Amino acid sequence: MLWHSEPGYELAPDISISQNMVFTRSMLNENGKQTIQALDAYSGVVRWHIPLLEQPCGYQQLCTSPLTYVADNRLIVLDDSQPSRLQVFDVASGKHVTAFPIALPASKGVASSLLNNGTLYLQTGIHEGGPYISGSSNTFWNYTIHAVHIADGTTAWQYQIGKLREYQDPISSMLSTTA
């Protein structure tokens, strides 16, 4: 073994390795705090770390990790604040470059997402009907796909998929081979 990260960190999904750096994300704690670290791929030394999320997670609140991507020497982060914010950081230094509010429904839940050619495609879902109980016949999800420009945070378009039962998938997982 060459090195290992600090306890309580995991590889950051979608951006594990880029520019001779390994990105790790702290586990989401009960206070809703989370950080991301850039480690030197060869030595494991922390190059920089930034806080990602500070949101109380309670009984009625779904607290999820921010979406993170690396593209064009930038770390792109979509956090779960209200309104949601698209933040951009310099990958080499971890310094904050800019941030934009993103118009997503307040009670949304982000499911699949992908970053491609400067556009972040987000699938959101709003739970409607009765209480969410597995197998319930009176509940459904109302899905929408949003296309957001990462250059300025504007929504290029959105497509309302519509209401589906909890067991129906609106689309297969979105995958990207280029970012």
Side-chain angles (χ1 to χ4, degrees):
M1 178 184 332
L2 294 175
W3 56 268
H4 60 87
S5 69
E6 296 177 34
Y9 281 81
E10 63 185 356
L11 287 175
D14 300 321
I15 62 162
S16 297
I17 300 175
S18 180
Q19 299 183 3
N20 294 324
M21 289 187 279
V22 174
F23 296 92
T24 61
R25 182 176 66 195
S26 66
M27 304 299 211
L28 191 63
N29 69 25
E30 66 277 354
N31 296 322
K33 294 183 181 182
Q34 194 169 38
T35 60
I36 193 165
Q37 295 181 329
L39 308 172
D40 182 275
Y42 302 106
S43 67
V45 172
V46 176
R47 289 190 182 176
W48 53 260
H49 72 278
I50 54 174
L52 287 182
L53 180 68
E54 268 189 58
Q55 171 183 319
C57 302
Y59 173 72
Q60 294 292 332
Q61 298 165 314
L62 176 63
C63 194
T64 59
S65 297
L67 299 175
T68 53
Y69 297 95
V70 170
D72 301 326
N73 299 320
R74 297 175 292 171
L75 171 67
I76 289 90
V77 177
L78 179 66
D79 68 25
D80 204 20
S81 60
Q82 289 302 322
S84 295
R85 288 179 304 156
L86 182 71
Q87 298 186 73
V88 180
F89 299 88
D90 177 73
V91 169
S93 66
K95 291 186 180 178
H96 190 261
V97 176
T98 191
F100 307 103
I102 303 296
L104 295 175
S107 58
K108 58 102 177 70
V110 176
S112 299
S113 66
L114 98 94
L115 176 65
N116 192 13
N117 293 329
T119 303
L120 182 60
Y121 300 93
L122 303 165
Q123 175 188 314
T124 62
I126 299 174
H127 185 258
E128 297 179 11
Y132 183 75
I133 300 169
S134 183
S136 176
S137 62
N138 68 339
T139 66
F140 54 88
W141 286 88
N142 196 349
Y143 290 105
T144 304
I145 296 177
H146 309 264
V148 177
H149 295 294
I150 62 169
D152 59 9
T154 60
T155 300
W157 55 264
Q158 61 184 24
Y159 173 71
Q160 177 108 18
I161 295 170
K163 298 176 181 180
L164 298 175
R165 297 282 180 208
E166 66 175 56
Y167 54 83
Q168 295 174 300
D169 287 325
I171 58 175
S172 60
S173 294
M174 294 190 282
L175 301 173
S176 173
T177 57
T178 60

